[in-house]
Amino acid sequence: MKIVVTGGAGFIGSNVADAFLAAGHEVVIIDNLSTGYRHNVNPAAVFYEKDICSPEISSILHKEKADVICHHAAQASVPVSVKDPLYDANTNVMGFINLLQSAVSSGARKVIFISSGGALYGEAEEYPTTENYRPIPLSVYAINKMVGEIYLHFYKHQYGLDYTALRYANVYGPRQVSHGEAGVVSIFIEKLLKGETPTINRYDDQPDGMIRDYVFVQDVVKANLAALDKGSGEAFNIGTCIPCSTRALYNEITNQLCIWIEPHFSQARLGDLRNSLLNYQKATQYLGWKPDYNLSSGIAETIKYFKNR
Ligand code: NAD
Protein backbone atom coordinates (compact mmCIF):
# COMPACT_ATOMS: atom_id res chain seq x y z
CA MET A 1 0.00 0.00 0.00
CA LYS A 2 1.03 3.64 -0.26
CA ILE A 3 1.78 5.35 3.05
CA VAL A 4 2.56 8.99 3.84
CA VAL A 5 4.82 9.27 6.88
CA THR A 6 4.82 12.78 8.31
CA GLY A 7 7.88 13.42 10.47
CA GLY A 8 9.69 10.70 8.52
CA ALA A 9 13.03 12.53 8.86
CA GLY A 10 12.82 12.39 12.65
CA PHE A 11 13.92 9.80 15.18
CA ILE A 12 10.87 7.51 15.31
CA GLY A 13 9.25 8.40 11.95
CA SER A 14 12.41 7.51 10.00
CA ASN A 15 12.66 4.10 11.68
CA VAL A 16 8.97 3.51 10.88
CA ALA A 17 9.41 4.64 7.24
CA ASP A 18 12.35 2.22 6.82
CA ALA A 19 10.21 -0.66 8.11
CA PHE A 20 7.27 0.19 5.81
CA LEU A 21 9.64 0.18 2.83
CA ALA A 22 11.25 -3.10 3.95
CA ALA A 23 7.75 -4.62 4.13
CA GLY A 24 7.21 -3.71 0.46
CA HIS A 25 5.06 -0.58 0.84
CA GLU A 26 5.46 2.69 -1.09
CA VAL A 27 6.45 5.53 1.25
CA VAL A 28 6.08 9.29 0.91
CA ILE A 29 7.71 11.42 3.61
CA ILE A 30 6.58 14.92 4.56
CA ASP A 31 8.88 16.74 6.99
CA ASN A 32 9.96 20.37 7.43
CA LEU A 33 13.34 19.29 8.91
CA SER A 34 12.77 21.49 11.99
CA THR A 35 14.12 18.74 14.28
CA GLY A 36 14.58 15.95 11.72
CA TYR A 37 17.48 15.37 9.31
CA ARG A 38 17.76 14.89 5.57
CA HIS A 39 20.18 11.99 6.18
CA ASN A 40 17.43 10.09 8.04
CA VAL A 41 15.21 10.14 4.94
CA ASN A 42 15.29 6.74 3.25
CA PRO A 43 16.38 7.26 -0.40
CA ALA A 44 13.69 4.81 -1.53
CA ALA A 45 10.97 7.18 -0.25
CA VAL A 46 9.53 10.20 -2.06
CA PHE A 47 10.41 13.22 0.05
CA TYR A 48 8.62 16.58 0.42
CA GLU A 49 10.37 19.16 2.59
CA LYS A 50 7.15 20.82 3.72
CA ASP A 51 5.46 22.06 6.88
CA ILE A 52 2.25 20.20 7.75
CA CYS A 53 0.61 23.61 8.26
CA SER A 54 1.29 24.55 4.62
CA PRO A 55 -1.65 24.95 2.19
CA GLU A 56 0.38 22.80 -0.23
CA ILE A 57 -0.26 19.69 1.90
CA SER A 58 -3.60 19.30 0.14
CA SER A 59 -2.08 19.21 -3.36
CA ILE A 60 0.66 16.81 -2.19
CA LEU A 61 -1.90 14.37 -0.77
CA HIS A 62 -4.11 14.71 -3.87
CA LYS A 63 -1.13 13.95 -6.09
CA GLU A 64 0.14 11.00 -4.03
CA LYS A 65 -3.25 9.41 -3.24
CA ALA A 66 -1.99 7.50 -0.20
CA ASP A 67 -4.00 4.76 1.51
CA VAL A 68 -2.67 5.53 4.99
CA ILE A 69 -1.26 8.66 6.67
CA CYS A 70 1.11 7.74 9.51
CA HIS A 71 1.40 10.99 11.45
CA HIS A 72 4.65 11.37 13.38
CA ALA A 73 5.38 15.08 12.66
CA ALA A 74 4.99 17.12 15.84
CA GLN A 75 6.41 19.65 18.18
CA ALA A 76 7.59 16.83 20.46
CA SER A 77 9.03 18.56 23.52
CA VAL A 78 6.99 18.89 26.74
CA PRO A 79 9.02 21.87 28.15
CA VAL A 80 8.81 23.73 24.79
CA SER A 81 5.02 23.22 24.80
CA VAL A 82 4.75 24.79 28.25
CA LYS A 83 7.04 27.72 27.33
CA ASP A 84 5.40 28.34 23.94
CA PRO A 85 1.84 26.96 23.87
CA LEU A 86 0.91 28.76 20.63
CA TYR A 87 3.81 27.19 18.78
CA ASP A 88 2.82 23.74 20.05
CA ALA A 89 -0.85 24.21 19.11
CA ASN A 90 0.07 25.52 15.66
CA THR A 91 1.89 22.31 14.71
CA ASN A 92 0.12 19.76 16.88
CA VAL A 93 -3.45 21.00 16.41
CA MET A 94 -3.67 23.30 13.36
CA GLY A 95 -1.16 21.31 11.33
CA PHE A 96 -3.00 18.11 12.21
CA ILE A 97 -6.39 19.54 11.13
CA ASN A 98 -4.78 20.64 7.85
CA LEU A 99 -3.61 17.07 7.34
CA LEU A 100 -6.98 15.54 8.26
CA GLN A 101 -8.85 17.81 5.83
CA SER A 102 -6.45 16.83 3.04
CA ALA A 103 -6.63 13.14 4.02
CA VAL A 104 -10.41 13.18 3.62
CA SER A 105 -10.51 15.09 0.34
CA SER A 106 -7.73 12.98 -1.22
CA GLY A 107 -9.51 9.71 -0.36
CA ALA A 108 -7.12 8.29 2.26
CA ARG A 109 -8.50 5.25 4.11
CA LYS A 110 -6.82 5.60 7.50
CA VAL A 111 -4.70 7.77 9.80
CA ILE A 112 -2.24 6.30 12.29
CA PHE A 113 -1.91 9.06 14.87
CA ILE A 114 1.01 9.17 17.27
CA SER A 115 -0.19 10.13 20.69
CA SER A 116 1.66 10.00 23.99
CA GLY A 117 0.89 7.53 26.75
CA GLY A 118 3.86 8.98 28.61
CA ALA A 119 2.23 12.43 28.82
CA LEU A 120 -1.50 12.15 28.11
CA TYR A 121 -2.74 10.67 31.39
CA GLY A 122 -1.06 13.16 33.74
CA GLU A 123 -0.26 11.85 37.25
CA ALA A 124 -2.58 8.88 36.81
CA GLU A 125 -4.20 7.26 39.81
CA GLU A 126 -4.48 4.01 37.88
CA TYR A 127 -0.96 2.61 37.77
CA PRO A 128 0.02 0.96 35.45
CA THR A 129 -2.44 2.98 33.39
CA THR A 130 -4.91 1.48 30.91
CA GLU A 131 -6.55 3.27 27.97
CA ASN A 132 -9.80 3.42 29.98
CA TYR A 133 -8.31 5.91 32.43
CA ARG A 134 -9.64 9.42 31.78
CA PRO A 135 -6.62 11.58 30.82
CA ILE A 136 -5.94 14.64 32.97
CA PRO A 137 -3.13 16.25 30.92
CA LEU A 138 -0.56 18.35 32.79
CA SER A 139 1.26 19.93 29.85
CA VAL A 140 0.26 21.76 26.69
CA TYR A 141 1.86 18.94 24.69
CA ALA A 142 -0.39 16.39 26.41
CA ILE A 143 -3.50 18.56 25.99
CA ASN A 144 -2.87 18.84 22.26
CA LYS A 145 -2.26 15.10 21.86
CA MET A 146 -5.63 14.57 23.57
CA VAL A 147 -7.24 17.11 21.24
CA GLY A 148 -5.73 15.22 18.29
CA GLU A 149 -7.41 12.01 19.43
CA ILE A 150 -10.78 13.80 19.73
CA TYR A 151 -10.40 15.12 16.17
CA LEU A 152 -9.75 11.56 14.97
CA HIS A 153 -13.03 10.46 16.47
CA PHE A 154 -14.85 13.36 14.79
CA TYR A 155 -13.32 12.68 11.35
CA LYS A 156 -14.22 9.00 11.56
CA HIS A 157 -17.78 9.81 12.61
CA GLN A 158 -18.26 12.61 10.06
CA TYR A 159 -16.32 11.34 7.03
CA GLY A 160 -15.59 7.66 7.69
CA LEU A 161 -11.83 8.28 7.90
CA ASP A 162 -10.53 5.32 9.90
CA TYR A 163 -7.83 5.73 12.54
CA THR A 164 -5.64 4.06 15.12
CA ALA A 165 -3.98 6.14 17.86
CA LEU A 166 -0.72 4.79 19.28
CA ARG A 167 0.05 6.17 22.73
CA TYR A 168 3.81 5.71 23.00
CA ALA A 169 5.60 5.47 26.33
CA ASN A 170 9.16 6.94 26.44
CA VAL A 171 10.79 5.81 23.22
CA TYR A 172 14.57 5.37 22.85
CA GLY A 173 16.96 3.87 20.34
CA PRO A 174 19.06 4.61 17.23
CA ARG A 175 18.69 8.11 15.68
CA GLN A 176 17.36 9.73 18.85
CA VAL A 177 19.13 13.06 19.20
CA SER A 178 20.89 14.07 22.37
CA HIS A 179 20.82 17.84 21.89
CA GLY A 180 17.04 18.21 22.23
CA GLU A 181 15.16 18.45 25.49
CA ALA A 182 13.80 14.90 25.26
CA GLY A 183 15.79 11.72 24.85
CA VAL A 184 17.40 11.01 28.20
CA VAL A 185 18.88 7.71 26.96
CA SER A 186 20.78 9.32 24.07
CA ILE A 187 21.79 12.26 26.29
CA PHE A 188 23.29 9.94 28.93
CA ILE A 189 25.07 7.71 26.39
CA GLU A 190 26.59 10.59 24.38
CA LYS A 191 27.76 12.49 27.46
CA LEU A 192 29.28 9.41 29.07
CA LEU A 193 31.10 8.46 25.83
CA LYS A 194 32.58 12.00 25.76
CA GLY A 195 33.64 11.74 29.42
CA GLU A 196 31.14 14.44 30.44
CA THR A 197 28.92 14.33 33.54
CA PRO A 198 25.19 13.80 32.84
CA THR A 199 22.47 15.43 34.94
CA ILE A 200 19.51 13.63 36.52
CA ASN A 201 16.46 15.89 36.87
CA ARG A 202 14.32 15.08 39.89
CA TYR A 203 11.84 16.26 42.47
CA ASP A 204 13.34 16.70 45.95
CA ASP A 205 11.15 14.00 47.47
CA GLN A 206 11.91 11.49 44.67
CA PRO A 207 15.71 11.15 44.87
CA ASP A 208 16.08 8.50 42.13
CA GLY A 209 14.27 10.73 39.65
CA MET A 210 11.13 10.19 37.63
CA ILE A 211 9.64 6.76 36.99
CA ARG A 212 9.24 6.03 33.29
CA ASP A 213 8.29 3.23 30.95
CA TYR A 214 11.09 2.98 28.35
CA VAL A 215 10.18 1.28 25.08
CA PHE A 216 12.69 0.47 22.33
CA VAL A 217 12.08 2.07 18.93
CA GLN A 218 11.93 -1.24 17.02
CA ASP A 219 9.03 -2.33 19.21
CA VAL A 220 7.26 0.94 18.39
CA VAL A 221 7.93 0.28 14.69
CA LYS A 222 6.24 -3.12 15.05
CA ALA A 223 3.12 -1.43 16.47
CA ASN A 224 2.92 0.83 13.38
CA LEU A 225 3.14 -2.19 11.05
CA ALA A 226 0.29 -3.85 12.96
CA ALA A 227 -1.81 -0.66 12.90
CA LEU A 228 -1.82 -0.56 9.07
CA ASP A 229 -4.77 -2.95 9.07
CA LYS A 230 -5.69 -3.58 12.70
CA GLY A 231 -6.99 -1.53 15.63
CA SER A 232 -9.72 0.38 13.78
CA GLY A 233 -11.08 3.38 15.73
CA GLU A 234 -9.10 2.60 18.88
CA ALA A 235 -6.23 4.00 20.97
CA PHE A 236 -3.46 1.74 22.29
CA ASN A 237 -0.74 2.10 24.90
CA ILE A 238 2.64 1.10 23.47
CA GLY A 239 5.01 0.53 26.39
CA THR A 240 6.67 -2.23 28.39
CA CYS A 241 4.80 -1.95 31.71
CA ILE A 242 8.23 -2.09 33.44
CA PRO A 243 8.88 0.88 35.76
CA CYS A 244 12.36 2.40 35.66
CA SER A 245 13.68 5.40 37.62
CA THR A 246 16.11 7.78 35.93
CA ARG A 247 18.77 6.58 38.37
CA ALA A 248 18.15 2.90 37.46
CA LEU A 249 18.35 3.84 33.78
CA TYR A 250 21.61 5.68 34.44
CA ASN A 251 23.04 2.65 36.27
CA GLU A 252 22.07 0.31 33.39
CA ILE A 253 23.83 2.57 30.87
CA THR A 254 26.99 3.13 32.95
CA ASN A 255 27.24 -0.62 33.68
CA GLN A 256 26.93 -1.53 29.99
CA LEU A 257 29.45 1.16 29.01
CA CYS A 258 31.78 0.29 31.92
CA ILE A 259 32.07 4.03 32.57
CA TRP A 260 31.32 5.08 36.12
CA ILE A 261 30.84 8.81 36.57
CA GLU A 262 28.68 10.12 39.45
CA PRO A 263 25.85 12.21 37.87
CA HIS A 264 24.87 15.78 38.71
CA PHE A 265 21.36 16.38 40.01
CA SER A 266 18.98 19.18 39.06
CA GLN A 267 15.33 20.18 39.49
CA ALA A 268 12.56 18.58 37.41
CA ARG A 269 11.71 20.56 34.25
CA LEU A 270 8.48 22.31 33.28
CA GLY A 271 5.65 19.80 32.82
CA ASP A 272 7.69 16.77 33.99
CA LEU A 273 5.47 14.03 35.39
CA ARG A 274 6.68 12.08 38.42
CA ASN A 275 5.43 8.67 37.32
CA SER A 276 4.32 7.06 34.11
CA LEU A 277 3.75 3.37 33.43
CA LEU A 278 1.59 1.85 30.69
CA ASN A 279 -0.49 -1.30 30.64
CA TYR A 280 -0.32 -2.67 27.06
CA GLN A 281 -2.77 -5.59 27.27
CA LYS A 282 -5.19 -3.93 24.86
CA ALA A 283 -2.47 -3.72 22.18
CA THR A 284 -1.77 -7.43 22.69
CA GLN A 285 -5.45 -8.25 22.31
CA TYR A 286 -6.26 -6.12 19.25
CA LEU A 287 -2.92 -5.59 17.48
CA GLY A 288 -1.19 -8.83 18.51
CA TRP A 289 1.56 -6.56 19.86
CA LYS A 290 3.95 -6.97 22.75
CA PRO A 291 7.47 -5.62 23.25
CA ASP A 292 10.37 -7.89 22.23
CA TYR A 293 13.08 -5.80 23.92
CA ASN A 294 13.69 -5.28 27.61
CA LEU A 295 15.74 -2.34 28.89
CA SER A 296 18.98 -4.28 28.85
CA SER A 297 18.70 -5.50 25.22
CA GLY A 298 17.34 -2.15 23.98
CA ILE A 299 20.13 -0.17 25.67
CA ALA A 300 22.71 -2.58 24.23
CA GLU A 301 21.42 -1.90 20.68
CA THR A 302 21.37 1.85 21.32
CA ILE A 303 24.93 1.90 22.69
CA LYS A 304 26.10 -0.07 19.63
CA TYR A 305 24.53 2.58 17.38
CA PHE A 306 26.13 5.53 19.20
CA LYS A 307 29.55 3.87 19.30
CA ASN A 308 29.44 3.11 15.54
CA ARG A 309 28.28 6.55 14.39
P1 NAD B 1 11.46 14.12 16.30
O1 NAD B 1 11.56 15.56 16.68
O2 NAD B 1 12.72 13.36 16.03
O3 NAD B 1 10.51 13.93 15.05
C1 NAD B 1 9.51 14.85 14.68
C2 NAD B 1 9.66 15.10 13.21
O4 NAD B 1 8.60 15.97 12.78
C3 NAD B 1 10.97 15.82 12.85
O5 NAD B 1 11.58 15.19 11.74
C4 NAD B 1 10.54 17.24 12.51
O6 NAD B 1 11.40 17.86 11.58
C5 NAD B 1 9.13 17.01 11.99
N1 NAD B 1 8.27 18.18 12.13
C6 NAD B 1 8.07 18.93 13.26
N2 NAD B 1 7.20 19.91 13.00
C7 NAD B 1 6.81 19.78 11.70
C8 NAD B 1 5.93 20.49 10.87
N3 NAD B 1 5.26 21.55 11.30
N4 NAD B 1 5.78 20.07 9.58
C9 NAD B 1 6.47 19.00 9.11
N5 NAD B 1 7.32 18.29 9.86
C10 NAD B 1 7.49 18.67 11.14
O7 NAD B 1 10.63 13.43 17.48
P2 NAD B 1 10.26 11.91 17.73
O8 NAD B 1 10.70 11.59 19.11
O9 NAD B 1 10.69 11.05 16.61
O10 NAD B 1 8.67 12.01 17.77
C11 NAD B 1 7.83 11.51 16.72
C12 NAD B 1 6.39 11.48 17.21
O11 NAD B 1 6.28 10.61 18.33
C13 NAD B 1 5.87 12.84 17.68
O12 NAD B 1 4.50 12.93 17.30
C14 NAD B 1 5.98 12.75 19.19
O13 NAD B 1 5.07 13.61 19.82
C15 NAD B 1 5.64 11.30 19.39
N6 NAD B 1 6.10 10.72 20.65
C16 NAD B 1 7.43 10.61 20.92
C17 NAD B 1 7.85 10.03 22.11
C18 NAD B 1 9.32 9.86 22.44
O14 NAD B 1 9.61 9.30 23.50
N7 NAD B 1 10.25 10.27 21.60
C19 NAD B 1 6.90 9.58 23.04
C20 NAD B 1 5.56 9.72 22.75
C21 NAD B 1 5.16 10.26 21.54
Side-chain angles (χ1 to χ4, degrees):
M1 70 182 81
K2 193 169 197 178
I3 307 164
V4 165
V5 180
T6 70
F11 157 47
I12 305 170
S14 65
N15 280 290
V16 170
D18 289 356
F20 285 157
L21 284 162
H25 300 295
E26 279 181 79
V27 171
V28 176
I29 289 173
I30 301 176
D31 197 299
N32 68 355
L33 301 182
S34 55
T35 56
Y37 296 93
R38 188 72 177 79
H39 60 74
N40 284 343
V41 173
N42 191 309
V46 174
F47 177 52
Y48 293 92
E49 187 179 337
K50 275 281 167 279
D51 197 299
I52 55 164
C53 300
S54 158
E56 289 165 66
I57 291 297
S58 174
S59 52
I60 292 172
L61 291 198
H62 276 85
K63 179 172 170 225
E64 296 294 346
K65 299 233 171 298
D67 305 291
V68 174
I69 317 290
C70 180
H71 181 48
H72 278 79
Q75 188 304 105
S77 160
V78 169
V80 167
S81 82
V82 178
K83 280 181 222 146
D84 195 347
L86 283 176
Y87 175 63
D88 191 273
N90 191 45
T91 299
N92 294 359
V93 180
M94 303 304 277
F96 186 44
I97 296 172
N98 191 34
L99 202 65
L100 287 168
Q101 284 292 117
S102 307
V104 168
S105 63
S106 67
R109 173 178 64 83
K110 180 171 190 177
V111 173
I112 299 173
F113 174 69
I114 306 311
S115 186
S116 173
L120 191 75
Y121 300 113
E123 298 289 2
E125 280 165 23
E126 184 195 29
Y127 186 83
T129 312
T130 64
E131 296 84 350
N132 290 333
Y133 184 80
R134 187 171 70 86
I136 307 172
L138 292 174
S139 67
V140 173
Y141 171 79
I143 291 169
N144 290 335
K145 288 291 187 189
M146 188 172 161
V147 167
E149 290 197 18
I150 298 170
Y151 271 107
L152 289 171
H153 187 75
F154 167 74
Y155 275 81
K156 182 168 167 55
H157 169 78
Q158 187 68 36
Y159 303 109
L161 178 64
D162 195 10
Y163 74 86
T164 296
L166 299 177
R167 297 177 177 171
Y168 294 168
N170 282 66
V171 188
Y172 68 96
R175 299 195 189 139
Q176 188 161 36
V177 294
S178 60
H179 55 262
E181 291 190 71
V184 66
V185 171
S186 55
I187 293 170
F188 284 174
I189 294 174
E190 287 227 299
K191 281 206 178 259
L192 288 163
L193 286 175
K194 284 188 212 152
E196 296 172 7
T197 305
T199 300
I200 291 180
N201 299 315
R202 62 181 181 182
Y203 292 100
D204 291 339
D205 58 352
Q206 208 167 318
D208 284 342
M210 274 56 100
I211 302 290
R212 293 286 179 267
D213 182 334
Y214 292 101
V215 61
F216 186 59
V217 69
Q218 285 309 322
D219 280 327
V220 160
V221 161
K222 213 175 59 166
N224 281 270
L225 287 165
L228 288 175
D229 42 33
K230 293 191 193 117
S232 170
E234 296 286 341
F236 299 96
N237 288 339
I238 301 297
T240 64
C241 205
I242 298 170
C244 179
S245 69
T246 318
R247 179 77 216 201
L249 173 74
Y250 187 80
N251 292 347
E252 177 68 37
I253 292 172
T254 52
N255 284 336
Q256 287 205 24
L257 285 172
C258 297
I259 299 172
W260 293 280
I261 296 174
E262 199 41 35
H264 292 313
F265 292 93
S266 178
Q267 286 301 306
R269 303 157 319 159
L270 285 172
D272 265 340
L273 296 178
R274 287 165 177 272
N275 301 300
S276 151
L277 188 66
L278 302 183
N279 176 318
Y280 63 81
Q281 280 175 4
K282 186 178 172 188
T284 304
Q285 191 183 343
Y286 289 85
L287 300 177
W289 182 90
K290 63 175 182 47
D292 292 330
Y293 289 81
N294 59 24
L295 191 67
S296 174
S297 55
I299 293 291
E301 289 290 322
T302 311
I303 286 177
K304 214 186 299 168
Y305 165 81
F306 278 102
K307 280 188 168 169
N308 290 338
R309 262 198 328 171

